[in-house]
Amino acid sequence: MSSIQLNPLKEGLSGNLSVPGDKSISHRAVIFSALAEGTSHITNFLTGEDCLRTVQAFREFGVEIERKGKEVTIYGKGINALQTPTQPINFGNSGTTARLLSGVLAALPHFSTAFGDASLSKRPMDRVVLPLREMGAKISGREEARLLPLAFEGRELTGATIEMSVKSAQVKSALLLAGMLAEGETNVIEKGTTRNHTEMLMSEYGIHIQKEGQKLTIQGNQQPKSSDLRVPGDISSAAFFLVAAAITSGSSILIEGVGLNPTRNGIITALEQMGADIKTEETGRVGHEPVGNVSIKSSKLNGITLEGDLIPNLIDEIPIIALAATQAEGQTVIKDAGELKVKETNRIDSVVFNLRALGADIEATEDGMIINGPVNLNGGTVNSYGDHRIGMMGAIASYIAEGPVEIINPKSIDISYPEFFEHFNEIQKKTS
Ligand code: SPQ
């Protein structure tokens, strides 16, 4: 397995960065464009491996999709023009592709099968399969369809009222997509607020959806219309460099054009609570999504408690927040984050194991972790275990470690941030 050795920084970080397009929005833009009638153009598309899995999945359904770098043109011919795939669909490492497309594949009148890589094959699929069955879906698979591979005997589903048992944007989105294609009305009742990009994009693609408190209502038999869309920068990618600047003394950076959707910007709240010198300026909207610039300078940080409703808002940022907590004065407690156990790795274990290997005072709990700081981190080895966010956490740790940090399997970072190492070096060079 490949590895890369990263040396500690001598000076702080400086410069401006534009992070790549948002992963969640890129997936969803492809889904709606591929189901739409008419040609859609997507710019600033995330070219990470996960989003390319969603593109390939729709090519298997006969949709013509052209991609030139970050520009994607999708020649949608409508739901009725889709063709039955002739081979199994490969979801790769992408949980978002697997969960969201389950809602689509179950509701289209085609037979299809799908599988994933070793990591995705361990992640629970029953969270989408069981509620989709309440709508009449016929899905079979390994361990009673708890795990991939799955087979979909696609058919017209019937709208239903579904109370969600997990706080998950992927499950919500699968049900809304199935509801959009089903006969009748579907109500999805969320357990707590999760990222709302699916709902935002539905409005963008001409789909009617209503929200009342935690209840989302969608009428069936809706055909999306084509749209032209620019994807905002991914706040989950920006988070790595925001924390890097906060913890590396002498740093000052600006991240431009990043998505500031309030259901996604918990990292900014967390850094503010930790006492970071961070400023956010909303500059406008792309489609329905707010975007802006975030500037941050290094400063002393303090420990905090993260729990409850804030957790879904920063779930993917917990690995990098844990690194920030190793540099904060006092204790940081992360609770209510049991969902971390079913990500690309068990992110409670992979964060604790790797940060402890660098000398951090960190322990795992049933639903999160406890970190005491500040601690000077040593050099050492960080194993990404094929999880992009763990690889990036390790790379950012190398900025402040007292010796070189070796990252095992850094290639996994391409899943969500193909330009990561370019940006990682770029903001150092500008210091000289
Ligand atoms: O797509 P995947 O592999 O599930 O990606 C992750 C990530 O770290 O990039 C999680 F591992 O993000 C999920 C996120 O955790 C993306 C997502 C979405 O686009 O809807 C929602 C979250 O998952 P969930 O299960 O809480 O809905």
Side-chain angles (χ1 to χ4, degrees):
M1 191 151 300
S2 73
S3 74
I4 185 171
Q5 184 168 303
L6 302 168
N7 293 315
L9 268 188
K10 299 203 169 55
E11 292 174 83
L13 303 165
S14 81
N16 297 4
L17 278 184
S18 292
V19 292
D22 188 276
K23 177 158 86 68
S24 295
I25 298 175
S26 295
H27 279 296
R28 288 156 168 83
V30 171
I31 296 173
F32 287 111
S33 301
L35 296 174
E37 217 159 37
T39 300
S40 299
H41 300 279
I42 307 168
T43 52
N44 202 34
F45 176 75
L46 173 64
T47 60
E49 282 174 25
D50 271 17
C51 297
L52 299 180
R53 294 288 177 191
T54 298
V55 167
Q56 188 54 32
F58 281 102
R59 286 188 175 138
E60 309 284 0
F61 275 91
V63 182
E64 193 189 337
I65 304 179
E66 259 172 31
R67 185 173 72 85
K68 287 196 192 102
K70 298 178 180 187
E71 288 187 23
V72 182
T73 305
I74 303 185
Y75 300 93
K77 294 202 167 62
I79 294 159
N80 294 332
L82 297 171
Q83 295 159 18
T84 303
T86 54
Q87 53 183 7
I89 298 169
N90 187 352
F91 291 153
N93 189 250
S94 177
T96 307
T97 311
R99 272 65 173 267
L100 270 60
L101 289 200
S102 291
V104 176
L105 269 47
L108 292 174
H110 300 278
F111 174 78
S112 58
T113 58
F115 66 101
D117 71 2
S119 153
L120 188 58
S121 300
K122 290 189 204 137
R123 295 175 66 186
M125 293 299 297
D126 46 347
R127 53 181 52 203
V128 286
V129 169
L130 296 177
L132 285 169
R133 282 185 181 153
E134 288 180 43
M135 299 174 75
K138 276 250 181 208
I139 306 170
S140 53
R142 195 160 56 100
E143 290 191 15
E144 293 172 3
R146 195 178 70 78
L147 298 170
L148 288 166
L150 294 178
F152 299 85
E153 283 177 51
R155 61 198 49 229
E156 186 167 65
L157 304 182
T158 313
T161 294
I162 294 163
E163 242 177 90
M164 288 181 50
S165 57
V166 279
K167 288 184 190 173
S168 162
Q170 292 179 350
V171 177
K172 169 180 69 177
S173 302
L175 297 174
L176 291 176
L177 285 161
M180 173 185 92
L181 300 168
E183 177 71 40
E185 180 179 288
T186 296
N187 296 294
V188 179
I189 302 159
E190 278 206 274
K191 244 184 123 183
T193 302
T194 59
R195 65 191 71 187
N196 63 2
H197 306 302
T198 301
E199 300 90 301
M200 296 279 200
L201 282 181
M202 280 186 161
S203 308
E204 200 71 37
Y205 284 80
I207 301 297
H208 301 290
I209 176 162
Q210 282 171 309
K211 181 170 164 62
E212 206 188 309
Q214 295 297 89
K215 185 170 92 172
L216 290 153
T217 302
I218 185 161
Q219 303 302 326
N221 287 322
Q222 294 196 62
Q223 164 64 66
K225 297 182 181 71
S226 58
S227 180
D228 290 340
L229 196 97
R230 183 174 168 80
V231 179
D234 195 328
I235 185 124
S236 296
S237 298
F240 290 94
F241 290 107
L242 293 176
V243 168
I247 63 176
T248 309
S249 68
S251 298
S252 174
I253 67 163
L254 173 74
I255 302 195
E256 295 167 306
V258 70
L260 295 173
N261 182 317
T263 64
R264 280 290 294 287
N265 64 8
I267 177 67
I268 293 172
T269 312
L271 284 169
E272 281 168 353
Q273 287 177 6
M274 293 178 97
D277 186 354
I278 185 167
K279 287 190 187 68
T280 304
E281 181 207 3
E282 193 176 314
T283 52
R285 288 194 169 241
V286 286
H288 291 73
E289 297 278 350
V291 291
N293 302 330
V294 185
S295 60
I296 186 160
K297 293 185 179 142
S298 51
S299 64
K300 269 188 75 159
L301 300 179
N302 52 266
I304 54 169
T305 295
L306 292 173
E307 61 189 330
D309 289 345
L310 190 59
I311 296 295
N313 206 309
L314 46 67
I315 187 77
D316 297 337
E317 286 62 77
I318 289 178
I320 194 65
I321 291 171
L323 174 65
T326 68
Q327 303 309 300
E329 184 75 43
Q331 189 165 77
T332 295
V333 181
I334 300 171
K335 295 184 200 168
D336 304 324
E339 276 290 302
L340 289 174
K341 293 180 183 168
V342 292
K343 300 298 181 186
E344 285 83 326
T345 52
N346 174 335
R347 285 184 180 158
I348 297 181
D349 290 350
S350 52
V351 166
V352 169
F353 177 85
N354 280 305
L355 289 181
R356 198 179 273 162
L358 299 182
D361 177 349
I362 180 166
E363 70 177 272
T365 62
E366 199 31 53
D367 64 349
M369 52 195 93
I370 298 175
I371 305 137
N372 292 300
V375 165
N376 288 341
L377 299 182
N378 336 305
T381 301
V382 167
N383 193 332
S384 74
Y385 296 111
D387 184 335
H388 50 131
R389 303 210 188 272
I390 301 301
M392 288 188 276
M393 177 196 77
I396 299 298
S398 77
Y399 280 146
I400 55 160
E402 284 173 353
V405 175
E406 184 188 14
I407 311 291
I408 298 179
N409 193 1
K411 188 83 184 94
S412 58
I413 293 172
D414 289 352
I415 290 287
S416 66
Y417 200 159
E419 301 97 323
F420 178 78
F421 283 110
E422 222 173 279
H423 291 174
F424 181 88
N425 293 325
E426 205 174 292
I427 57 171
Q428 296 176 54
K429 278 194 208 130
K430 290 187 180 161
T431 61
S432 55

